[in-house]
Amino acid sequence: MTKLKTIYLTTGYTTALKRIAMRGGALREIKFHATCVLWEHPREGYILFDTGYSPRFFDETKKWPMWIYAKATPVVCKEEWTVKAQLAKKKIEPEDIKHVIISHFHADHIAGLKDFPTATIWCSRTAWREANSLKGFAAVKKGIVPALLPVDFEKRVCFFEQTERKSRKDAFEFHYDIFEDEAIQIVNLPGHARGQIGALFTSDTNTKTLLAADAFWLSESLEKNVYPSRIVGLFIDNWEEYQRSFQKIRGFMHRFPEVEIVSCHCPRTFERCEVLDES
Ligand SMILES: [Zn+2]
């Protein structure tokens, strides 16, 4: 199996009460960072899993109705924190990113997408169908800010569903082997957002990981089997599917305790990230 050099990056954060992310949690504000993963694949080159925030988010949410998004999630981010700026410090140019994998189309996952103009964009067809069809208030209600999508998206997109589907003997039943080497195995995790996916991979240090995107927010909630507050219905596409995906991950967690399960916004994921200058 191809192993991937892996770096976690954070691009900024929003704050919310812990109780929002986990029923019965403390009435204490915590930072939910928008993290991304940079992989180096020996044949495919640099790959991003999500692109996080960018100040472009502020530009595109100034006006009604997108303004609702900015009000619902007060965001802290700046140019130096974008993936593009952090990669520049590593001497990685935007054109060096060959693939961007989108877990789902919420703005905190795709605000940086326009910074990688030559990358192949990977997403689920289901997710794209929704993101491409919703406009105005209907879009913002689903966490989608259409102006964050590159205009040439359809020329650059590759759908997971076009790649080989391999059966699995665990809760996920199958995955898409997008590079035909099992390096990145895409599993469906719908519910939080339409067509959301997660990715299984093995790092070059032999750590097996499931990136679960927003299928849960806090690792503690997964471990204790506690769902988010009902208030976040606004950010959830389908509760029943959310719960099904959540329970699939729990089943996987119990069966494969050696696999790390990482969500995008958990403070524990932030601890894996390279430190930002917060001044
Ligand atoms: Zn999301």
PDB file of all heavy atoms in Angstrom, residues 252-270:
ATOM      1  N   PHE A 252     -16.604   1.188  13.392  1.00  0.00           N
ATOM      2  CA  PHE A 252     -15.256   1.086  12.833  1.00  0.00           C
ATOM      3  C   PHE A 252     -14.219   1.294  13.938  1.00  0.00           C
ATOM      4  O   PHE A 252     -13.223   0.566  14.033  1.00  0.00           O
ATOM      5  CB  PHE A 252     -15.115   2.146  11.727  1.00  0.00           C
ATOM      6  CG  PHE A 252     -13.828   2.077  10.982  1.00  0.00           C
ATOM      7  CD1 PHE A 252     -13.667   1.216   9.906  1.00  0.00           C
ATOM      8  CD2 PHE A 252     -12.757   2.884  11.348  1.00  0.00           C
ATOM      9  CE1 PHE A 252     -12.467   1.153   9.210  1.00  0.00           C
ATOM     10  CE2 PHE A 252     -11.559   2.830  10.659  1.00  0.00           C
ATOM     11  CZ  PHE A 252     -11.407   1.965   9.596  1.00  0.00           C
ATOM     12  N   MET A 253     -14.491   2.289  14.782  1.00  0.00           N
ATOM     13  CA  MET A 253     -13.566   2.630  15.885  1.00  0.00           C
ATOM     14  C   MET A 253     -13.380   1.436  16.835  1.00  0.00           C
ATOM     15  O   MET A 253     -12.263   1.141  17.264  1.00  0.00           O
ATOM     16  CB  MET A 253     -14.162   3.830  16.644  1.00  0.00           C
ATOM     17  CG  MET A 253     -13.467   4.246  17.908  1.00  0.00           C
ATOM     18  SD  MET A 253     -14.264   5.725  18.608  1.00  0.00           S
ATOM     19  CE  MET A 253     -15.660   4.982  19.456  1.00  0.00           C
ATOM     20  N   HIS A 254     -14.481   0.744  17.132  1.00  0.00           N
ATOM     21  CA  HIS A 254     -14.376  -0.395  18.051  1.00  0.00           C
ATOM     22  C   HIS A 254     -13.673  -1.590  17.410  1.00  0.00           C
ATOM     23  O   HIS A 254     -12.933  -2.310  18.058  1.00  0.00           O
ATOM     24  CB  HIS A 254     -15.770  -0.795  18.558  1.00  0.00           C
ATOM     25  CG  HIS A 254     -16.304   0.216  19.549  1.00  0.00           C
ATOM     26  ND1 HIS A 254     -17.517   0.844  19.405  1.00  0.00           N
ATOM     27  CD2 HIS A 254     -15.750   0.736  20.665  1.00  0.00           C
ATOM     28  CE1 HIS A 254     -17.698   1.694  20.396  1.00  0.00           C
ATOM     29  NE2 HIS A 254     -16.642   1.651  21.178  1.00  0.00           N
ATOM     30  N   ARG A 255     -13.896  -1.730  16.111  1.00  0.00           N
ATOM     31  CA  ARG A 255     -13.307  -2.881  15.424  1.00  0.00           C
ATOM     32  C   ARG A 255     -11.825  -2.665  15.118  1.00  0.00           C
ATOM     33  O   ARG A 255     -11.042  -3.599  15.123  1.00  0.00           O
ATOM     34  CB  ARG A 255     -14.098  -3.117  14.141  1.00  0.00           C
ATOM     35  CG  ARG A 255     -13.687  -4.361  13.489  1.00  0.00           C
ATOM     36  CD  ARG A 255     -14.757  -4.960  12.625  1.00  0.00           C
ATOM     37  NE  ARG A 255     -14.095  -5.886  11.735  1.00  0.00           N
ATOM     38  CZ  ARG A 255     -14.465  -6.152  10.523  1.00  0.00           C
ATOM     39  NH1 ARG A 255     -15.537  -5.573  10.036  1.00  0.00           N
ATOM     40  NH2 ARG A 255     -13.798  -7.010   9.779  1.00  0.00           N
ATOM     41  N   PHE A 256     -11.470  -1.399  14.857  1.00  0.00           N
ATOM     42  CA  PHE A 256     -10.074  -1.103  14.497  1.00  0.00           C
ATOM     43  C   PHE A 256      -9.504  -0.037  15.425  1.00  0.00           C
ATOM     44  O   PHE A 256      -9.280   1.107  15.007  1.00  0.00           O
ATOM     45  CB  PHE A 256      -9.978  -0.626  13.044  1.00  0.00           C
ATOM     46  CG  PHE A 256     -10.559  -1.585  12.051  1.00  0.00           C
ATOM     47  CD1 PHE A 256     -11.813  -1.357  11.491  1.00  0.00           C
ATOM     48  CD2 PHE A 256      -9.857  -2.724  11.674  1.00  0.00           C
ATOM     49  CE1 PHE A 256     -12.353  -2.253  10.583  1.00  0.00           C
ATOM     50  CE2 PHE A 256     -10.391  -3.616  10.766  1.00  0.00           C
ATOM     51  CZ  PHE A 256     -11.640  -3.382  10.220  1.00  0.00           C
ATOM     52  N   PRO A 257      -9.281  -0.397  16.692  1.00  0.00           N
ATOM     53  CA  PRO A 257      -8.822   0.637  17.644  1.00  0.00           C
ATOM     54  C   PRO A 257      -7.464   1.234  17.278  1.00  0.00           C
ATOM     55  O   PRO A 257      -7.108   2.298  17.766  1.00  0.00           O
ATOM     56  CB  PRO A 257      -8.764  -0.119  18.986  1.00  0.00           C
ATOM     57  CG  PRO A 257      -8.781  -1.561  18.647  1.00  0.00           C
ATOM     58  CD  PRO A 257      -9.454  -1.709  17.314  1.00  0.00           C
ATOM     59  N   GLU A 258      -6.734   0.554  16.392  1.00  0.00           N
ATOM     60  CA  GLU A 258      -5.417   1.069  16.010  1.00  0.00           C
ATOM     61  C   GLU A 258      -5.518   2.232  15.011  1.00  0.00           C
ATOM     62  O   GLU A 258      -4.532   2.919  14.768  1.00  0.00           O
ATOM     63  CB  GLU A 258      -4.540  -0.060  15.439  1.00  0.00           C
ATOM     64  CG  GLU A 258      -4.919  -0.573  14.047  1.00  0.00           C
ATOM     65  CD  GLU A 258      -6.127  -1.530  14.011  1.00  0.00           C
ATOM     66  OE1 GLU A 258      -6.823  -1.677  15.037  1.00  0.00           O
ATOM     67  OE2 GLU A 258      -6.382  -2.113  12.934  1.00  0.00           O
ATOM     68  N   VAL A 259      -6.702   2.433  14.436  1.00  0.00           N
ATOM     69  CA  VAL A 259      -6.859   3.514  13.437  1.00  0.00           C
ATOM     70  C   VAL A 259      -7.238   4.818  14.143  1.00  0.00           C
ATOM     71  O   VAL A 259      -8.184   4.852  14.934  1.00  0.00           O
ATOM     72  CB  VAL A 259      -7.940   3.149  12.385  1.00  0.00           C
ATOM     73  CG1 VAL A 259      -8.106   4.267  11.367  1.00  0.00           C
ATOM     74  CG2 VAL A 259      -7.591   1.832  11.700  1.00  0.00           C
ATOM     75  N   GLU A 260      -6.511   5.858  13.853  1.00  0.00           N
ATOM     76  CA  GLU A 260      -6.859   7.183  14.397  1.00  0.00           C
ATOM     77  C   GLU A 260      -8.085   7.702  13.648  1.00  0.00           C
ATOM     78  O   GLU A 260      -8.148   7.577  12.425  1.00  0.00           O
ATOM     79  CB  GLU A 260      -5.764   8.200  14.109  1.00  0.00           C
ATOM     80  CG  GLU A 260      -4.419   7.895  14.632  1.00  0.00           C
ATOM     81  CD  GLU A 260      -3.450   9.000  14.201  1.00  0.00           C
ATOM     82  OE1 GLU A 260      -3.617   9.595  13.121  1.00  0.00           O
ATOM     83  OE2 GLU A 260      -2.536   9.258  14.972  1.00  0.00           O
ATOM     84  N   ILE A 261      -8.992   8.299  14.388  1.00  0.00           N
ATOM     85  CA  ILE A 261     -10.174   8.868  13.733  1.00  0.00           C
ATOM     86  C   ILE A 261     -10.169  10.369  13.997  1.00  0.00           C
ATOM     87  O   ILE A 261     -10.201  10.808  15.155  1.00  0.00           O
ATOM     88  CB  ILE A 261     -11.461   8.186  14.218  1.00  0.00           C
ATOM     89  CG1 ILE A 261     -11.345   6.681  13.930  1.00  0.00           C
ATOM     90  CG2 ILE A 261     -12.673   8.790  13.527  1.00  0.00           C
ATOM     91  CD1 ILE A 261     -12.534   5.862  14.306  1.00  0.00           C
ATOM     92  N   VAL A 262     -10.072  11.127  12.911  1.00  0.00           N
ATOM     93  CA  VAL A 262      -9.785  12.556  13.030  1.00  0.00           C
ATOM     94  C   VAL A 262     -10.907  13.356  12.368  1.00  0.00           C
ATOM     95  O   VAL A 262     -11.223  13.132  11.199  1.00  0.00           O
ATOM     96  CB  VAL A 262      -8.431  12.845  12.317  1.00  0.00           C
ATOM     97  CG1 VAL A 262      -8.153  14.330  12.247  1.00  0.00           C
ATOM     98  CG2 VAL A 262      -7.289  12.109  13.018  1.00  0.00           C
ATOM     99  N   SER A 263     -11.495  14.276  13.134  1.00  0.00           N
ATOM    100  CA  SER A 263     -12.497  15.150  12.510  1.00  0.00           C
ATOM    101  C   SER A 263     -11.834  16.474  12.166  1.00  0.00           C
ATOM    102  O   SER A 263     -10.764  16.804  12.677  1.00  0.00           O
ATOM    103  CB  SER A 263     -13.684  15.367  13.449  1.00  0.00           C
ATOM    104  OG  SER A 263     -13.375  16.345  14.404  1.00  0.00           O
ATOM    105  N   CYS A 264     -12.490  17.216  11.323  1.00  0.00           N
ATOM    106  CA  CYS A 264     -11.864  18.454  10.830  1.00  0.00           C
ATOM    107  C   CYS A 264     -11.706  19.506  11.923  1.00  0.00           C
ATOM    108  O   CYS A 264     -10.686  20.181  11.990  1.00  0.00           O
ATOM    109  CB  CYS A 264     -12.708  19.011   9.683  1.00  0.00           C
ATOM    110  SG  CYS A 264     -12.076  20.561   9.061  1.00  0.00           S
ATOM    111  N   HIS A 265     -12.733  19.656  12.778  1.00  0.00           N
ATOM    112  CA  HIS A 265     -12.768  20.838  13.642  1.00  0.00           C
ATOM    113  C   HIS A 265     -12.433  20.575  15.113  1.00  0.00           C
ATOM    114  O   HIS A 265     -12.452  21.503  15.914  1.00  0.00           O
ATOM    115  CB  HIS A 265     -14.159  21.486  13.564  1.00  0.00           C
ATOM    116  CG  HIS A 265     -14.577  21.843  12.171  1.00  0.00           C
ATOM    117  ND1 HIS A 265     -13.896  22.749  11.404  1.00  0.00           N
ATOM    118  CD2 HIS A 265     -15.607  21.407  11.395  1.00  0.00           C
ATOM    119  CE1 HIS A 265     -14.495  22.862  10.215  1.00  0.00           C
ATOM    120  NE2 HIS A 265     -15.523  22.046  10.190  1.00  0.00           N
ATOM    121  N   CYS A 266     -12.159  19.327  15.481  1.00  0.00           N
ATOM    122  CA  CYS A 266     -11.915  19.017  16.902  1.00  0.00           C
ATOM    123  C   CYS A 266     -10.627  19.686  17.390  1.00  0.00           C
ATOM    124  O   CYS A 266      -9.622  19.691  16.674  1.00  0.00           O
ATOM    125  CB  CYS A 266     -11.806  17.503  17.092  1.00  0.00           C
ATOM    126  SG  CYS A 266     -11.575  17.037  18.823  1.00  0.00           S
ATOM    127  N   PRO A 267     -10.635  20.245  18.611  1.00  0.00           N
ATOM    128  CA  PRO A 267      -9.391  20.821  19.152  1.00  0.00           C
ATOM    129  C   PRO A 267      -8.226  19.825  19.150  1.00  0.00           C
ATOM    130  O   PRO A 267      -7.075  20.216  19.030  1.00  0.00           O
ATOM    131  CB  PRO A 267      -9.781  21.226  20.580  1.00  0.00           C
ATOM    132  CG  PRO A 267     -11.250  21.487  20.498  1.00  0.00           C
ATOM    133  CD  PRO A 267     -11.780  20.484  19.505  1.00  0.00           C
ATOM    134  N   ARG A 268      -8.518  18.524  19.227  1.00  0.00           N
ATOM    135  CA  ARG A 268      -7.427  17.532  19.189  1.00  0.00           C
ATOM    136  C   ARG A 268      -6.776  17.498  17.796  1.00  0.00           C
ATOM    137  O   ARG A 268      -5.605  17.156  17.675  1.00  0.00           O
ATOM    138  CB  ARG A 268      -7.954  16.139  19.532  1.00  0.00           C
ATOM    139  CG  ARG A 268      -8.295  15.991  21.003  1.00  0.00           C
ATOM    140  CD  ARG A 268      -8.503  14.510  21.323  1.00  0.00           C
ATOM    141  NE  ARG A 268      -9.501  14.328  22.345  1.00  0.00           N
ATOM    142  CZ  ARG A 268     -10.130  13.176  22.595  1.00  0.00           C
ATOM    143  NH1 ARG A 268      -9.856  12.105  21.878  1.00  0.00           N
ATOM    144  NH2 ARG A 268     -11.024  13.096  23.552  1.00  0.00           N
ATOM    145  N   THR A 269      -7.548  17.813  16.781  1.00  0.00           N
ATOM    146  CA  THR A 269      -6.976  17.873  15.422  1.00  0.00           C
ATOM    147  C   THR A 269      -6.093  19.111  15.303  1.00  0.00           C
ATOM    148  O   THR A 269      -5.019  19.069  14.703  1.00  0.00           O
ATOM    149  CB  THR A 269      -8.099  17.904  14.364  1.00  0.00           C
ATOM    150  OG1 THR A 269      -9.006  16.858  14.661  1.00  0.00           O
ATOM    151  CG2 THR A 269      -7.543  17.743  12.964  1.00  0.00           C
ATOM    152  N   PHE A 270      -6.552  20.193  15.924  1.00  0.00           N
ATOM    153  CA  PHE A 270      -5.753  21.425  15.928  1.00  0.00           C
ATOM    154  C   PHE A 270      -4.374  21.158  16.541  1.00  0.00           C
ATOM    155  O   PHE A 270      -3.366  21.696  16.082  1.00  0.00           O
ATOM    156  CB  PHE A 270      -6.510  22.514  16.702  1.00  0.00           C
ATOM    157  CG  PHE A 270      -5.684  23.714  17.031  1.00  0.00           C
ATOM    158  CD1 PHE A 270      -5.185  24.525  16.016  1.00  0.00           C
ATOM    159  CD2 PHE A 270      -5.391  24.034  18.353  1.00  0.00           C
ATOM    160  CE1 PHE A 270      -4.403  25.631  16.310  1.00  0.00           C
ATOM    161  CE2 PHE A 270      -4.613  25.132  18.649  1.00  0.00           C
ATOM    162  CZ  PHE A 270      -4.117  25.934  17.632  1.00  0.00           C
TER     163      PHE A 270
END
